[in-house]
Amino acid sequence: RSAEIASRWRMEVHELNNLVIINDAYNANPDSMKGALSTLALFAQERGGRSWAFLGKMHELGASSIEDHQAIGRFAEDLGIDHLVLVAAPEYAGAISGSSATAFHTFAKQDAAALMADHFLPGDVVMVKASRAEKLEVLALKLVEIWSNSEAGRDKAGEER
């Protein structure tokens, strides 16, 4: 909590109306995805809320791209991430079991994915992560805006979990 972020969109934490949004949209590779997802799981556990991972594609992976995306999807499932929101990146769900406790939401566009903010609850932790080319920092800022300015965000800030 006391760490200071020196670069924008690298584990940039927004705490607002009893919701945490982590904007880590600057880069993504399998190792950084695992680290970010592990951090998300720990934050959510600490706060007692649900974990939301908004993920876009990891670029420059070469021939192993599909397998690497699938491995991250399995990793998120194994961590117990509650909601995996896939933004133009359905590959993450390619190897997930049908009995997964992780809810998968797949969207082709950021605007559609942003509507998931209507389902956030106080105590939840939201992370946005993808390769820089995906421009998911726009989505992260949109989620901050929606939660901060919406009636739902203001009303939900006072609710008990």
Side-chain angles (χ1 to χ4, degrees), residues 24-39:
D24 194 16
Y26 188 79
N27 69 2
N29 60 55
D31 289 337
S32 70
M33 278 287 193
K34 287 179 180 178
L37 287 165
S38 296
T39 300

Side-chain angles (χ1 to χ4, degrees), residues 13-22 47 121-124 140-141 143-149 153 157:
V13 177
H14 301 269
E15 293 188 56
L16 49 140
N17 297 340
N18 203 17
L19 182 82
V20 171
I21 297 178
I22 303 167
R47 292 176 53 83
L121 295 172
D124 285 355
L141 293 173
L143 294 173
V144 168
E145 177 186 340
I146 289 170
W147 187 260
S148 296
N149 297 325

